[in-house]
Amino acid sequence: MAEVKVVGLWKRFGDVEAVKGITFEVKEGEFAVMLGPSGCGKTTTLRCIAGLERPDEGDILFNGRRVNELRPSQRNIAFVFQFYALYPHLTVWDNIAFPLKAEKLPKEEIRRRVEEVLEMLDLKGLERRKPKELSAGQKQRVALGRAMVRRPEVFLLDEPLSNLDAKLRERMRGELKKLQRKLGATTIYVTHDQIEAMSMADKIIVMNEGKIQQIGTPHEVYHNPANLFVANFIGSPGMNFIRCRYDREGGRLRDESGGIEIPLSEIAREKLGSISTDEVIIGVRPEAIEFHPGPSPRAIEAGVYLVEPLGSVNVVNLEVGGEVIKAVAEPGFSPSVDEKVWISFKEVSLFDGRGGDSIGAMGGEELWRR
Ligand code: ADP
Ligand code: MG
């Protein structure tokens, strides 16, 4: 298995700058997910790695060796688009053997390799079946088997689950992750679905408009998003953003309507010292909002605007100052509309209100002056 490095990659299509100078690495055996909205350059990046597109600038390295000049067939990669792209008239055996037959390997070698893949993917006994006689999970494994049989150094998967319904996608996520671990396969997986990314990745590469926004573990991108884009793209319901003014003299944050006023701790003031604007955005995840039965220190008064019962949780929409924010509460907590509640924040992110970059994340307690 190979380690992959992408260094300063640019790719243009006429006037469109699809990828604008991105750099990242994927370690041997790592499961990396490129996450970003449609059109942000994910497929273009994969195609450059695969050798299907020529970079305008930048290098692709496999195990430290530059592969820019190598043809796709020389790069020893497996590129999978959709797991259902099986040949319908061929059996499981022939589907998996297909790439080896195309390479004209000796019969015995083909037999051995196909057997090995069938064994590894738990497909023994299904060799003679046609795709239509398989379950969705089995089909996925056959498609993967067809990619694996060539013993690639790197797996490149481009939205492979996108044509499945939601239930199936959920199951496939788990199976895919388990299989990747078992094979120890260096994998770059592309998706626009943040749940897929969060649930499977060792490392998430968040992209927008041809640029990398953040590289981090699922934990890092969730708890310490690098900017407003990442904060907004990850999590559902999305992070709440409260626009504030920073009163530097008084060491306070005030939201625009005056409904929130937070005397800041030294740690918070220190972090805010680095920015040149007084526009600050407090980001709070709906899951990081705590309810209190009455007024309490470091709790903010809010009015209940709407309750969305989702079964496992209630999403409580709250009016705070002039804004409506969402909080995730226990299903048993169902306040009536217009009721007064008190909330505090377990964790917050602060953002530069102009550029949108993160100033830092901290526990809610750490934000307030004692
Ligand atoms: P993603 O996979 O993230 O949805 P793509 O890499 O497919 O994004 O596309 C990035 C941008 O490059 C888009 O604006 C897309 O329209 C453009 N693009 C991709 N391939 C081509 C092409 N062959 N010719 C012209 N424009 C392209
Ligand atoms: Mg794409």
Side-chain angles (χ1 to χ4, degrees):
M1 281 295 158
E3 167 212 81
V4 178
K5 275 191 184 151
V6 171
V7 184
L9 177 68
W10 281 84
K11 181 66 192 174
R12 301 177 190 93
F13 297 103
D15 291 341
V16 179
E17 299 202 295
V19 176
K20 305 176 195 168
I22 65 170
T23 295
F24 64 89
E25 64 174 16
V26 180
K27 297 203 183 73
E28 190 174 341
E30 196 169 39
F31 197 145
V33 175
M34 292 193 87
L35 171 69
S38 175
C40 74
K42 306 180 297 292
T43 295
T44 304
T45 305
L46 271 201
R47 288 175 59 82
C48 287
I49 296 171
L52 298 166
E53 297 285 356
R54 245 192 121 73
D56 291 313
E57 282 170 49
D59 290 327
I60 312 290
L61 307 165
F62 288 2
N63 288 330
R65 174 173 167 236
R66 191 168 176 275
V67 298
N68 289 41
E69 310 310 325
L70 297 186
R71 277 180 280 121
S73 60
Q74 298 171 310
R75 294 193 187 190
N76 203 12
I77 42 106
F79 200 142
V80 181
F81 308 87
Q82 287 184 351
F83 278 140
Y84 277 11
L86 299 174
Y87 301 112
H89 57 288
L90 297 184
T91 62
V92 167
W93 174 282
D94 288 331
N95 260 287
I96 294 176
F98 192 87
L100 301 183
K101 286 186 180 164
E103 280 182 36
K104 301 204 166 37
L105 289 187
K107 270 215 165 63
E108 180 49 30
E109 170 80 8
I110 294 179
R111 198 196 59 79
R112 243 197 14 250
R113 288 226 215 158
V114 174
E115 284 296 327
E116 189 183 281
V117 165
L118 288 168
E119 180 81 35
M120 215 158 7
L121 294 179
D122 219 0
L123 288 168
K124 285 279 207 177
L126 302 176
E127 298 87 331
R128 301 282 144 239
R129 294 210 193 162
K130 298 271 178 70
K132 66 170 188 297
E133 300 163 310
L134 300 174
S135 74
Q138 290 163 344
K139 276 190 233 178
Q140 185 194 31
R141 276 180 277 149
V142 175
L144 208 55
R146 201 173 56 189
M148 277 165 54
V149 79
R150 289 181 45 243
R151 298 186 178 151
E153 299 249 33
V154 182
F155 282 90
L156 304 175
L157 308 178
D158 194 352
E159 314 237 13
L161 305 182
S162 59
N163 59 336
L164 306 183
D165 69 47
K167 265 271 157 289
L168 199 53
R169 227 169 28 228
E170 208 169 277
R171 219 184 70 219
M172 293 299 145
R173 287 203 305 261
E175 289 197 12
L176 200 57
K177 177 170 172 170
K178 224 172 142 69
L179 196 59
Q180 191 272 347
R181 292 286 188 278
K182 182 168 152 194
L183 301 173
T186 305
T187 303
I188 307 178
Y189 183 107
V190 157
T191 182
H192 64 277
D193 180 339
Q194 54 105 14
I195 298 184
E196 273 182 27
M198 292 296 283
S199 61
M200 294 193 291
D202 296 317
K203 172 195 276 175
I204 299 180
I205 301 158
V206 186
M207 281 190 65
N208 189 35
E209 295 182 344
K211 289 190 188 147
I212 292 179
Q213 305 295 312
Q214 185 169 7
I215 300 176
T217 62
H219 187 273
E220 282 161 355
V221 297
Y222 177 86
H223 290 283
N224 200 355
N227 56 38
L228 288 174
F229 176 83
V230 178
N232 196 37
F233 202 76
I234 289 183
S236 174
M239 190 182 257
N240 298 295
F241 298 117
I242 304 166
R243 283 202 163 267
C244 295
R245 290 260 156 219
Y246 178 35
D247 164 12
R248 229 170 258 269
E249 307 260 288
R252 284 160 189 277
L253 278 179
R254 266 192 209 97
D255 84 320
E256 278 165 359
S257 66
I260 297 179
E261 183 170 324
I262 302 175
L264 294 170
S265 68
E266 206 163 313
I267 300 173
R269 276 178 288 153
E270 204 170 292
K271 285 193 193 289
L272 290 174
S274 66
I275 60 164
S276 55
T277 161
D278 63 349
E279 291 172 38
V280 172
I281 294 172
I282 304 179
V284 190
R285 295 222 172 266
E287 306 82 24
I289 294 180
E290 212 165 5
F291 289 89
H292 302 271
S296 75
R298 295 185 286 283
I300 292 165
E301 191 180 313
V304 175
Y305 181 75
L306 176 78
V307 180
E308 304 168 70
L310 300 185
S312 59
V313 294
N314 280 350
V315 177
V316 183
N317 293 247
L318 299 163
E319 264 184 310
V320 184
E323 325 203 28
V324 175
I325 65 172
K326 287 179 188 280
V328 169
E330 305 270 297
F333 183 71
S334 191
S336 12
V337 171
D338 289 335
E339 197 176 311
K340 243 183 215 159
V341 293
W342 283 264
I343 56 169
S344 64
F345 306 145
K346 286 186 266 189
E347 186 179 67
V348 297
S349 281
L350 299 178
F351 299 95
D352 178 326
R354 286 258 173 79
D357 283 339
S358 171
I359 302 162
M362 63 189 84
E365 290 279 303
E366 289 175 274
L367 185 63
W368 296 72
R369 195 182 305 160
R370 303 244 148 208

Short mmCIF file of all heavy atoms in Angstrom, two decimals, residues 41 70-71 246 253 344 359 361 363 367:
data_model
loop_
_atom_site.label_atom_id
_atom_site.label_comp_id
_atom_site.label_asym_id
_atom_site.label_seq_id
_atom_site.Cartn_x
_atom_site.Cartn_y
_atom_site.Cartn_z
N GLY A 41 -14.37 20.71 -6.62
CA GLY A 41 -13.10 20.21 -7.17
C GLY A 41 -12.67 18.84 -6.67
O GLY A 41 -11.53 18.43 -6.89
N LEU A 70 3.23 9.24 -15.25
CA LEU A 70 2.74 7.88 -15.44
C LEU A 70 1.30 7.87 -15.93
O LEU A 70 0.48 8.66 -15.49
CB LEU A 70 2.83 7.07 -14.14
CG LEU A 70 4.22 6.84 -13.55
CD1 LEU A 70 4.13 5.90 -12.36
CD2 LEU A 70 5.17 6.28 -14.60
N ARG A 71 1.01 6.94 -16.82
CA ARG A 71 -0.36 6.75 -17.28
C ARG A 71 -1.19 6.10 -16.16
O ARG A 71 -0.62 5.47 -15.27
CB ARG A 71 -0.38 5.87 -18.53
CG ARG A 71 -0.10 6.67 -19.80
CD ARG A 71 -0.12 5.79 -21.03
NE ARG A 71 1.13 5.05 -21.18
CZ ARG A 71 1.24 3.73 -21.21
NH1 ARG A 71 0.18 2.97 -21.08
NH2 ARG A 71 2.42 3.15 -21.36
N TYR A 246 -17.43 43.34 19.59
CA TYR A 246 -16.47 43.18 20.67
C TYR A 246 -16.13 44.54 21.25
O TYR A 246 -15.60 45.41 20.56
CB TYR A 246 -15.21 42.49 20.13
CG TYR A 246 -14.11 42.30 21.14
CD1 TYR A 246 -14.39 42.01 22.48
CD2 TYR A 246 -12.77 42.38 20.75
CE1 TYR A 246 -13.39 41.83 23.40
CE2 TYR A 246 -11.75 42.19 21.67
CZ TYR A 246 -12.07 41.92 22.99
OH TYR A 246 -11.06 41.73 23.91
N LEU A 253 -18.51 40.86 24.93
CA LEU A 253 -19.16 40.61 23.64
C LEU A 253 -20.64 40.91 23.81
O LEU A 253 -21.26 40.49 24.78
CB LEU A 253 -19.00 39.14 23.23
CG LEU A 253 -17.70 38.70 22.57
CD1 LEU A 253 -17.74 37.21 22.28
CD2 LEU A 253 -17.44 39.48 21.27
N SER A 344 -27.15 27.77 28.67
CA SER A 344 -25.72 28.07 28.66
C SER A 344 -25.06 27.22 27.59
O SER A 344 -25.67 26.30 27.04
CB SER A 344 -25.11 27.79 30.03
OG SER A 344 -25.20 26.42 30.34
N ILE A 359 -11.07 31.96 15.54
CA ILE A 359 -10.14 32.56 16.49
C ILE A 359 -9.79 31.53 17.56
O ILE A 359 -8.79 31.62 18.23
CB ILE A 359 -10.77 33.82 17.14
CG1 ILE A 359 -11.15 34.83 16.05
CG2 ILE A 359 -9.84 34.46 18.14
CD1 ILE A 359 -12.15 35.87 16.52
N ALA A 361 -11.55 27.69 19.74
CA ALA A 361 -12.70 27.05 20.37
C ALA A 361 -12.39 26.87 21.84
O ALA A 361 -11.23 26.76 22.23
CB ALA A 361 -12.96 25.69 19.72
N GLY A 363 -14.33 25.73 25.98
CA GLY A 363 -15.50 25.37 26.76
C GLY A 363 -16.31 26.61 27.06
O GLY A 363 -15.76 27.71 27.18
N LEU A 367 -15.31 30.93 28.45
CA LEU A 367 -15.59 32.17 27.75
C LEU A 367 -15.87 33.32 28.74
O LEU A 367 -15.54 34.47 28.49
CB LEU A 367 -16.82 31.95 26.85
CG LEU A 367 -17.25 33.07 25.92
CD1 LEU A 367 -16.17 33.36 24.89
CD2 LEU A 367 -18.56 32.69 25.20
#
